[in-house]
Amino acid sequence: MLAAVADHRSLLLLRGAAALLFAFLVFFWPRLTVTGLAVLWGGYSLVDGTLALTAASHARRGAPRIWLGVIGLAGLACAGSALFALDLLVGHLVGIISIWAISTGALQLWAALELRKTVDGDWVLALDGLGALLFGLALALWPEPGEQVLIWVTGWFALALGTLFASVGVWLGRST
């Protein structure tokens, strides 16, 4: 498992950079609206999905390759909805982001469980996975978050996710 993750060090760094850029734009875009957030989300999803599909096509056979493909296709679907059905995406943005966060959290928890067999420090990934799950569940159960709350909470989540991906990518560079 560690070898498979180490193979994707550059993927983690690039996905981390994309999430950090997304968070930066969310925080510093003047008068960002939910429609603007949906457009940014679509752009982020395009980059993240493309990176994941590229990694899946170059990965070794096995489960990580399948999950990277699923993540990539989901990202491209989100990007396509931002391009072709922006009004529909805006209306369902809370649900889409919550499903994405729950899925991301579940995958991170699974990866942490697999990594605990080979490395120390897997708790960071588990903690972030739990955070993503809780974030997704909070959005799913929150009746209608206000526009600014949705924007800021999504930005903070992207900041945490980007920091984690970049940190793990740097850590893998030092441990391999």
Side-chain angles (χ1 to χ4, degrees):
M1 179 71 176
L2 183 60
V5 173
D7 286 347
H8 298 297
R9 177 180 177 262
S10 60
L11 170 68
L12 289 168
L13 290 171
L14 290 171
R15 288 182 75 197
L20 290 171
L21 177 61
F22 173 76
F24 178 82
L25 290 172
V26 167
F27 290 138
F28 295 107
W29 192 296
R31 294 181 296 277
L32 183 64
T33 63
V34 173
T35 302
L37 180 65
V39 170
L40 287 177
W41 180 262
Y44 167 73
S45 295
L46 176 65
V47 171
D48 191 61
T50 302
L51 289 170
L53 277 179
T54 301
S57 68
H58 292 92
R60 300 175 190 177
R61 293 191 185 274
R65 184 177 185 176
I66 292 168
W67 285 114
L68 285 170
V70 170
I71 290 167
L73 291 174
L76 294 182
C78 285
S81 66
L83 183 62
F84 296 111
L86 185 59
D87 291 339
L88 186 63
L89 178 63
V90 168
H92 298 288
L93 189 61
V94 172
I96 290 169
I97 292 174
S98 66
I99 290 169
W100 178 82
I102 291 167
S103 302
T104 299
L107 287 173
Q108 288 172 343
L109 285 173
W110 172 78
L113 289 172
E114 291 295 314
L115 281 175
R116 76 176 155 76
K117 300 171 187 171
T118 55
V119 298
D120 293 329
D122 58 308
W123 63 270
V124 175
L125 191 58
L127 185 61
D128 189 68
L130 183 61
L133 273 171
L134 292 175
F135 169 73
L137 289 171
L139 274 183
L141 298 174
W142 201 336
E144 292 203 22
E147 184 172 301
Q148 288 303 309
V149 170
L150 176 64
I151 290 168
W152 280 92
V153 168
T154 303
W156 281 110
F157 178 70
L159 180 67
L161 185 68
T163 302
L164 172 82
F165 282 162
S167 298
V168 172
V170 169
W171 174 73
L172 284 172
R174 291 183 181 159
S175 65
T176 55

